[in-house]
Amino acid sequence: MIQINYEDLMFKIPVESETYTNDSNFVISKITSILDERKNIGDNKIILNTNLKLGLPLENINKIAGPMIEAWAVEVFSGIRDNLNNAYNLINVEAQERLGMADIILQFRKNAQIITGNVDVKATSDDIPKSGRSPNITSFSRIRTAYVKNPDFMFIVLSIKHKVYSERNSATGLIDGIMEIVSYNAYDLKFISDEDLSYNPALGTGQIQIKDIHYVNYQYRTTWEMCQLLDKKYLSSKRRTFEDFYREAKKNQWIKN
């Protein structure tokens, strides 16, 4: 049997559009501006009403924060979309299934072009010091395949930081739990620096992680350079072999041979 290695493989090399970087910056600026507007008008709180006289157990409420904040984000973007003449050129919002690659798909009009952003919402707690450290972002094979199938695939990580507190409701006399969005950042996964990305071999083909979602540096690269970086992260793991990679490459049609 002939021994082959990474350099021997005939990869399918994705080539993104010349406007991709500008398009990515455009989508991120729109997402940030929309959230800025919500915060400025005070629509940045999720209020949880219950019949509990002592209020919600705050030490456990962060366990449900992710789905709640994701639902809030869908409502915010959908509200903008419903105004056909909105200032953000947002024309379509689609909430995705729970195990989908992204949580929300956003489509913006930029001149005569329609730009699609696949948004993954990550909720982190302002009350927990280490919240946001090494969250799982997406499956290695899933994102690697997406970049090959569509060199312009735009995967946006939307980090939303929240704090939780209790407040007595003057109308009911009961304690409301309040989840307040305090800050947010949006990143294009393809442009997150090498040092900020890591690979966790657990779960399926492994998970791409961000070491600290609150402190991310940008490093502009092409789609093909991103594929090579993902491969490098995968092959650097002691729990992965070249044979594992080759199997995934054939299965997902990343290579021609």
Side-chain angles (χ1 to χ4, degrees):
M1 182 176 178
I2 299 174
Q3 182 70 30
I4 61 173
N5 54 40
Y6 186 86
E7 291 72 23
D8 296 323
L9 298 177
M10 297 176 61
F11 286 99
K12 294 179 181 178
I13 299 178
V15 179
E16 69 279 8
S17 302
E18 292 181 0
T19 61
Y20 180 86
T21 300
N22 288 334
D23 295 341
S24 173
N25 292 336
F26 174 84
V27 168
I28 286 174
S29 69
K30 295 298 183 183
I31 290 173
T32 304
S33 295
I34 288 171
L35 296 180
D36 285 344
E37 178 189 297
R38 294 297 97 187
K39 188 175 182 180
N40 291 338
I41 66 175
D43 184 16
N44 62 327
K45 297 181 180 69
I46 301 168
I47 300 175
L48 307 176
N49 304 116
T50 73
N51 62 350
L52 297 174
K53 295 180 180 179
L54 298 179
L56 294 164
L58 297 185
E59 68 274 12
N60 293 317
I61 200 170
N62 287 300
K63 295 177 182 178
I64 64 169
M68 299 293 290
I69 287 177
E70 181 186 323
W72 174 84
V74 170
E75 288 196 5
V76 166
F77 292 124
S78 296
I80 297 293
R81 175 209 56 199
D82 291 344
N83 176 2
L84 299 181
N85 297 313
N86 70 79
Y88 305 99
N89 300 321
L90 179 60
I91 62 172
N92 190 35
V93 178
E94 296 179 19
Q96 299 299 287
E97 296 179 357
R98 197 70 213 149
L99 296 178
M101 186 168 181
D103 297 315
I104 314 168
I105 293 179
L106 302 178
Q107 290 185 306
F108 296 87
R109 187 182 299 280
K110 181 185 177 190
N111 301 321
Q113 184 182 6
I114 305 299
I115 306 172
T116 301
N118 300 268
V119 181
D120 182 35
V121 180
K122 294 297 180 188
T124 60
S125 173
D126 193 46
D127 308 308
I128 302 175
K130 293 186 178 181
S131 181
R133 301 281 179 88
S134 298
N136 289 331
I137 302 300
T138 186
S139 155
F140 162 75
S141 286
R142 182 179 273 188
I143 190 66
R144 178 66 164 83
T145 302
Y147 285 137
V148 172
K149 288 184 175 180
N150 178 11
D152 289 325
F153 186 78
M154 191 181 297
F155 191 81
I156 305 296
V157 180
L158 175 56
S159 168
I160 299 181
K161 184 185 284 190
H162 65 279
K163 64 180 179 181
V164 177
Y165 54 93
S166 294
E167 196 171 79
R168 186 170 296 279
N169 187 311
S170 58
T172 65
L174 299 174
I175 302 296
D176 290 338
I178 299 174
M179 200 174 289
E180 181 178 352
I181 284 77
V182 295
S183 64
Y184 37 82
N185 285 293
Y187 314 104
D188 188 327
L189 180 66
K190 195 168 81 173
F191 296 146
I192 293 177
S193 76
D194 186 346
E195 294 179 354
D196 289 318
L197 291 174
S198 60
Y199 170 77
N200 179 357
L203 300 176
T205 62
Q207 290 284 315
I208 302 302
Q209 298 180 327
I210 296 177
K211 293 179 182 177
D212 189 337
I213 206 166
H214 304 305
Y215 301 96
V216 173
N217 292 316
Y218 249 31
Q219 180 180 338
Y220 289 100
R221 57 173 72 87
T222 66
T223 304
W224 173 230
E225 288 171 339
M226 181 58 172
C227 289
Q228 291 176 293
L229 175 61
L230 292 172
D231 296 347
K232 177 183 175 183
K233 299 283 185 184
Y234 181 93
L235 289 166
S236 296
S237 171
K238 294 180 179 179
R239 291 175 55 180
R240 301 299 181 194
T241 65
F242 176 76
E243 287 70 27
D244 294 331
F245 176 83
Y246 186 55
R247 183 177 60 254
E248 288 299 314
K250 288 198 299 181
K251 175 184 174 183
N252 296 295
Q253 300 180 13
W254 305 338
I255 57 177
K256 300 175 184 178
N257 57 333

